[in-house]
Amino acid sequence: MREFAAELATGTGDPGPYAPFPHRVISRTKETADTTTLVLAPIGGGKGARFSPGQFNMLYAFGVGEAAISMSGDPSEEGTLVHTVRAVGNVSTALSRLKPGDVVGVRGPYGKGWPVDQMRGKDVVVMAGGLGLAPLRPVIYELYSHREDYGRVEIIYGSRSPTELLYYDEIQSWRTRTDTRFQVTVDSADRNWYGDVGVVTQRVPDARFDPARTIALMCGPEIMMKLSAQALEARGIAPSDIWLSMERNMKCAIAQCGHCQFGPYFICRDGPVLPYARIRRFLAVREV
Amino acid sequence: MTSLGDAPIVLTEGTHPFLERFDPKFLAAASANAREMRFETDEYVFREGERAQRFFLILEGKVGLEIEAADRPRLTVQTIGPGEVMGWAWLVHPYHWPVAARALKPTRAIALDTFVLHRYFKLHPDVGYRFVLRLMPVIAKRLDDTRVQLADIHA
Ligand SMILES: Cc1cc2nc3c(=O)[nH]c(=O)nc-3n(C[C@H](O)[C@H](O)[C@H](O)COP(=O)(O)OP(=O)(O)OC[C@H]3O[C@@H](n4cnc5c(N)ncnc54)[C@H](O)[C@@H]3O)c2cc1C
Ligand code: FES
């Protein structure tokens, strides 16, 4: 394994479709007790691959394994990749422990992202639960940097508690913008929290948008997406205008192994972002 | 500090969404002892265990409902904002607040005297019935929201 890492680092060997490109960790920010944001730069320089908001990379922790991790940086920034990782198992824990200077393998970007072209000229509702904000952050950068291209923008972010909020300082500055409403709610909080307490679905009834010309984007636990999609549908948004980012176990990420199958779809190729109209019936099934 | 409005309040259908389409006679009766109350940030609207004698119609601001236990810090479990109502413990034996309510920003609310409401509903059960029918969806919605909260949907 160490030889492989050395080969990668020096760029020797035969790169196949599974070969990760070596990147160096250039910074590491602890977001919460179990979640870390890494900024990576390709070893040897270069601009790195461009990506669309909603796509993901396979990150390879040498000697441990690979995991699908969403792009969570600004898509207009070249030369670096930003990934936010929650330590839940072997690979994600190894990735979370990387320090500046360490090397990590990257292959991607993969998958279909958020329907940015369809969003232009429309109202946009973004709903994130927990770590689900990570794959939505690139699209939030896009919305803010081309604000005039979109109608009303409502962002609703829910977290278990104030200590589990990601990108805390950035959210504070986003919330000061008057051209967008960014609501944050938590399941419960201690006395020092003066924000909203409750679930994201409670924020839907008074969100401001024209249902006939709105695109909704959401990412979070499936139960959160299902209930949020139902709440948006009750407000009149068509299921084909509600887009969900799905997670399934990934191995190859190039539609070869079938690990990520979800109903008739391969999440790595047909998703991870899919319209609710196409997947709603599979969301009710225990394991598809 | 909490300040009670000096002038007595005359409730109308437009005072608060909860009062829409109520009989003017009932609104006139409920105006007796009704007060507009203001709470500064961190001021308690009521505390856990106190006798529930008021029904609140929130006009402005935000109130957090808190639960307390000896072995853990106070926890805010829900927030209530403008256009919403707060407190139905006055309809449920033993008529004590099961939670505390603290203003999380400067808050303005109308407080109805529940003794007046009880008395009116005894004399006019049809209005009481309509009032409860108006309150039930609020209670059902809170129960639904709590259920969703328990499902840990923001994990
Ligand atoms: C498109 C996509 C984008 C993603 N983006 C991100 C991202 O941006 N950030 C991020 O942190 N994650 C992301 N993920 C999730 C991440 O890829 C998975 O969590 C991955 O499995 C982590 O690998 P691991 O080896 O650390 O954990 P694994 O060992 O694969 O464990 C993953 C989960 O399964 C549970 N688990 C593992 N083994 C068992 C077992 N034997 N019994 C019961 N439960 C078990 C673990 O507790 C954990 O919750 C994404 C996934 C997809 C598909
Ligand atoms: S991960 Fe192999 S088919 Fe999608």
Side-chain angles (χ1 to χ4, degrees):
Chain A
M1 195 49 72
R2 214 170 271 152
E3 280 157 30
F4 181 44
E7 262 183 13
L8 280 168
T10 55
T12 58
D14 180 26
Y18 297 104
F21 288 92
H23 283 59
R24 202 172 292 288
V25 177
I26 57 171
S27 81
R28 173 185 196 274
T29 309
K30 195 126 176 81
E31 302 282 352
T32 70
D34 62 3
T35 307
T36 306
T37 294
L38 302 171
V39 179
L40 314 175
I43 289 179
K47 289 180 177 173
R50 301 297 297 263
F51 69 93
S52 332
Q55 285 191 300
F56 67 95
N57 273 330
M58 294 300 285
L59 296 193
Y60 181 38
F62 293 118
V64 186
E66 266 190 325
I69 305 291
S70 305
M71 301 292 196
S72 62
D74 186 340
S76 68
E77 257 171 38
E78 292 180 344
T80 53
L81 292 170
V82 181
H83 288 289
T84 298
V85 185
R86 178 185 282 169
V88 294
N90 287 343
V91 177
S92 51
T93 301
L95 291 170
S96 301
R97 288 187 181 149
L98 291 173
K99 295 182 297 299
D102 287 347
V103 177
V104 61
V106 177
R107 62 186 178 95
Y110 296 121
K112 294 199 174 72
W114 304 108
V116 176
D117 290 337
Q118 282 187 49
M119 286 154 46
R120 297 220 168 83
K122 301 212 174 126
D123 293 346
V124 180
V125 179
V126 176
M127 294 184 73
L131 187 61
L133 187 60
L136 283 161
R137 190 164 70 153
V139 86
I140 295 174
Y141 286 129
E142 157 64 29
L143 289 166
Y144 281 139
S145 56
H146 301 103
R147 187 64 193 84
E148 62 291 350
D149 291 353
Y150 303 95
R152 280 168 292 192
V153 175
E154 287 266 356
I155 303 170
I156 306 170
Y157 172 37
S159 157
R160 272 185 184 154
S161 72
T163 54
E164 292 189 40
L165 290 168
L166 301 181
Y167 318 130
Y168 192 85
D169 293 339
E170 198 168 30
I171 289 176
Q172 295 309 321
S173 84
W174 283 338
R175 277 165 62 83
T176 62
R177 286 182 69 130
T178 52
D179 58 2
T180 306
R181 189 154 68 149
F182 196 123
Q183 302 192 69
V184 177
T185 186
V186 298
D187 279 335
S188 63
D190 67 13
R191 281 179 62 81
N192 301 320
W193 173 254
Y194 290 85
D196 288 329
V197 176
V199 282
V200 282
T201 46
Q202 281 169 256
R203 303 283 125 210
V204 172
D206 70 2
R208 291 165 292 203
F209 55 81
D210 171 1
R213 47 181 299 279
T214 296
I215 298 283
L217 317 176
M218 60 182 66
C219 185
E222 276 176 36
I223 175 108
M224 171 261 167
M225 294 198 282
K226 190 169 120 181
L227 296 171
S228 302
Q230 285 168 354
L232 291 170
E233 212 185 337
R235 287 270 327 257
I237 304 186
S240 53
D241 289 333
I242 301 172
W243 296 74
L244 284 62
S245 181
M246 297 299 300
E247 255 189 40
R248 280 295 175 275
N249 239 339
M250 300 252 170
K251 274 269 182 284
C252 70
I254 51 172
Q256 297 291 318
C257 72
H259 262 83
C260 66
Q261 187 156 5
F262 178 63
Y265 306 111
F266 281 175
I267 294 296
C268 66
R269 178 192 60 197
D270 307 314
V273 176
L274 287 157
Y276 182 52
R278 275 164 67 189
I279 55 170
R280 65 191 306 176
R281 66 196 173 102
F282 306 113
L283 283 173
V285 182
R286 193 164 239 291
E287 197 50 77
V288 286
Chain B
M1 269 308 287
T2 309
S3 60
L4 296 182
D6 291 330
I9 290 206
V10 179
L11 299 171
T12 66
E13 282 193 58
T15 306
H16 187 276
F18 187 81
L19 301 180
E20 280 166 21
R21 295 190 309 281
F22 265 117
D23 179 6
K25 274 195 231 143
F26 163 64
L27 294 179
S31 298
N33 284 348
R35 289 282 180 275
E36 181 180 320
M37 301 180 81
R38 287 165 195 268
F39 302 91
E40 296 303 330
T41 304
D42 281 333
E43 196 175 347
Y44 277 89
V45 179
F46 50 77
R47 288 186 184 265
E48 186 177 330
E50 283 176 0
R51 200 165 168 74
Q53 291 168 320
R54 288 191 170 122
F55 177 58
F56 294 92
L57 311 171
I58 309 293
L59 300 173
E60 264 174 41
K62 176 158 42 185
V63 179
L65 299 185
E66 295 179 345
I67 50 172
E68 196 173 18
D71 63 343
R72 61 177 69 183
R74 236 178 246 144
L75 207 61
T76 308
V77 289
Q78 185 177 41
T79 46
I80 297 174
E84 297 187 290
V85 300
M86 182 170 74
W88 46 78
W90 55 279
L91 284 168
V92 185
H93 184 77
Y95 317 112
H96 291 142
W97 297 119
V99 291
R102 177 169 60 104
L104 299 181
K105 47 163 104 159
T107 296
R108 207 158 61 82
I110 306 271
L112 304 187
D113 182 333
T114 57
F115 179 71
V116 171
L117 297 183
H118 271 302
R119 214 171 37 187
Y120 192 87
F121 296 157
K122 259 188 200 142
L123 293 173
H124 306 277
D126 55 324
V127 181
Y129 176 63
R130 240 180 303 137
F131 187 95
V132 172
L133 282 188
R134 185 72 60 86
L135 195 55
M136 270 317 286
V138 179
I139 298 174
K141 168 92 176 47
R142 298 261 165 92
L143 188 60
D144 270 350
D145 291 343
T146 307
R147 219 178 270 138
V148 174
Q149 230 162 324
L150 286 174
D152 198 14
I153 74 165
H154 300 145

